[in-house]
Structures are given as C-alpha cells and as structure tokens.
Amino acid sequence: MRRPILAANWKMYKTQAEASAFAKEFLPLVAAATDVDVVIAPPFTALPALAAALAGSRVLLAAQNVHPEEQGAFTGEIAPGMLRELGCRYAIVGHSERRTLFGESSELVARKAEALLRHEIRPIVCVGESLEERESGRTAAVIETQLRESLARVPGERAAELVVAYEPIWAIGTGRTATPALAQDVHAQVRGVLRERFGAAGDAIRIQYGGSVKPDNVRELMAQPDIDGALVGGASLEPESFARIVRFEAR
Ligand code: PGA
C-alpha cells in the first residue's frame, strides 16, 4: 500500500553539466520503473539544469536543505518558495551531516519541515544513531527523541506527505550497511512512534533506509515490511548504479 521511494542524495557532488549528463543516461534506464517514486537531490546550484533535464520524465526533483523562513537577512540560505519555484517536490531535512557538521537541532529540523509543507514540498526527515549510541544500547531512545522533536510541527492531516529516512550514522559512506533484519527492527520502532504521533496516518508514511545502499543489497532491504524506500549517497552518483537500485536489481 506504500509506494516505494528511491532517492538520490548527491551531497556536494556534480556541476550543472554533470547533472544534465547524468539525467540523459539515467532516464532511459528507469523508463520502465513506473511503480516506484524516483527522486534526485542535487546541490542547489544544479537544480535548474537538472529540472530542465528531467522535464517530461517521472523523476522528481529534491533539495538537500532549506531555511525555515520565507525570506530575510540570512546570508547564504535558501527559502522554501525559491525551491518550489525551481520545481522541487521533496527536500531532505535533518541529514546527519547537517546535524553533526553544521550543528542542526531537531527543533530547527521541525521548523524546516513545517515550512516545506507550507510550500507543498514533501520533507524527507532524517534520523539515525551514532555508533556510540548504538553500542551503549540507546538506539531506540535516540530515534524516538529525534522523531518526536523533528516532527513536532507537522499537522496531523499532512502526515501522509512525510517521508522519514532512517540512516544509522555508522553506515553512511562506510560500506557498512545495516543488515536487513537490524534495519527492519529500527523501522518497526519508527513505525510505532509514527502511529503514536499520527494514528492510522502513521501507516501511510514511507520510511526509507539509508547508509551504504547499493544494487547488491537493495532488494533484500526492500523486502522488509517496514522498509519503503532508500536514501542513497555514493551509489547514486553513477546512472547505471542508481538505475539498478531503482529496479531493485543486483546485476
Ligand atoms: P551513502 O549515503 O549511501 O553514501 O552511505 C547515504 C546518505 O548519507 O544519505
């Protein structure tokens, strides 16, 4: 009942020219994948070029971040209306790199998610525990707190538009994927928190797994009952590799 959503997070990779070249090669490879949502989040600077290159396709555009205010004296920031104007349908908020390298709190993430919904952009809200938190048995508590705080401003009637990405920090960019069973375990906990927070609407929210997702492990991950998609960094940078992920195809 939940439509799978496969999202590329390009982080600080690809110029406009590189983004356009990617789209040209990628689109024919996923033309037949009509039963999943496919999303690409390039750097801000590549959004216009990628929007043009994706025009007429089913692949949707996303941003990697946003500022919660409509406009103002916020040097270096980008407002949600600006993203909507460029055609963004999704935006990642609260990625662990934003939380750890740029000091973003869940309270700020909550304001970003609220601002995005106001502009009809669907937030992809990321949560995840560090290695130290996992090893000291605090995963469930950390995830629950991050979720409750980050989703605090989402109105109940908009819940179904949310995407939550569970990304264990120790699995991001390390090649060390969570096993499907371990990921499912946390996804089930996330589902429980979403049901408590939003009632039955919690069942409609898609939960992505992220952290070293590759063509080789995507099928097994997607077979888990509460894994509804993937947020993919490194393996989304090559058209062939991301296309295989979209098709749940190892080879
Ligand atoms: P990775 O990154 O696929 O390179 O581990 C995932 C992410 O940070 O979203």
Side-chain angles (χ1 to χ4, degrees):
M1 83 178 198
R2 291 183 295 267
R3 190 175 159 88
I5 176 164
L6 292 308
N9 173 12
W10 283 354
K11 307 190 180 184
M12 202 171 70
Y13 294 98
K14 294 194 191 294
T15 62
Q16 299 205 74
E18 289 163 349
S20 302
F22 177 100
K24 199 164 168 220
E25 220 183 305
F26 177 70
L27 289 177
L29 301 176
V30 297
T34 53
D35 46 3
V36 296
D37 287 341
V38 184
V39 176
I40 302 178
F44 288 129
T45 46
L47 283 168
L50 190 61
L54 295 178
S57 82
R58 298 176 36 264
V59 179
L60 300 171
L61 200 63
Q64 298 176 16
N65 188 21
V66 69
H67 192 278
E69 298 295 331
E70 298 296 315
Q71 59 179 23
F74 303 105
T75 301
E77 294 294 320
I78 308 285
M82 299 170 181
L83 296 175
R84 183 66 217 190
E85 186 192 34
L86 293 180
C88 287
R89 305 285 297 280
Y90 288 85
I92 300 168
V93 287
H95 188 278
S96 67
E97 285 151 20
R98 303 280 337 154
R99 291 178 187 265
T100 59
L101 303 174
F102 302 96
E104 282 190 14
S105 65
S106 291
E107 195 271 325
L108 178 58
V109 174
R111 290 174 51 220
K112 293 182 175 194
E114 179 185 34
L116 289 169
L117 287 170
R118 261 202 313 272
H119 288 270
E120 306 302 328
I121 300 173
R122 295 172 174 228
I124 300 176
V125 179
C126 304
V127 296
E129 83 286 5
S130 67
L131 187 58
E132 196 233 313
E133 288 162 343
R134 170 156 290 273
E135 288 178 341
S136 58
R138 283 182 289 147
T139 300
V142 166
I143 299 296
E144 172 158 7
T145 304
Q146 283 180 356
L147 275 175
R148 288 200 186 283
E149 292 176 358
S150 304
L151 303 180
R153 292 165 175 267
V154 174
E157 71 275 13
R158 307 294 301 273
E161 293 164 58
L162 282 177
V163 176
V164 170
Y166 166 59
E167 299 203 300
I169 296 173
W170 46 269
I172 295 178
T174 57
R176 195 180 154 190
T177 324
T179 61
L182 183 152
Q184 166 56 29
D185 208 47
V186 181
H187 280 234
Q189 283 168 29
V190 171
R191 181 77 61 209
V193 175
L194 296 175
R195 279 192 190 123
E196 272 176 40
R197 171 74 171 77
F198 297 113
D203 283 328
I205 299 173
R206 292 174 294 177
I207 310 174
Q208 295 178 313
Y209 168 79
S212 298
V213 174
K214 302 181 209 61
D216 284 345
N217 57 27
V218 66
R219 181 178 282 275
E220 240 196 315
L221 287 162
M222 292 300 296
Q224 304 299 313
D226 288 294
I227 301 186
D228 310 311
L231 182 56
V232 189
S236 75
L237 292 170
E238 293 297 328
E240 179 73 33
S241 163
F242 188 48
R244 283 204 205 136
I245 289 172
V246 166
R247 300 184 315 228
F248 307 170
E249 211 174 78
R251 302 266 157 254

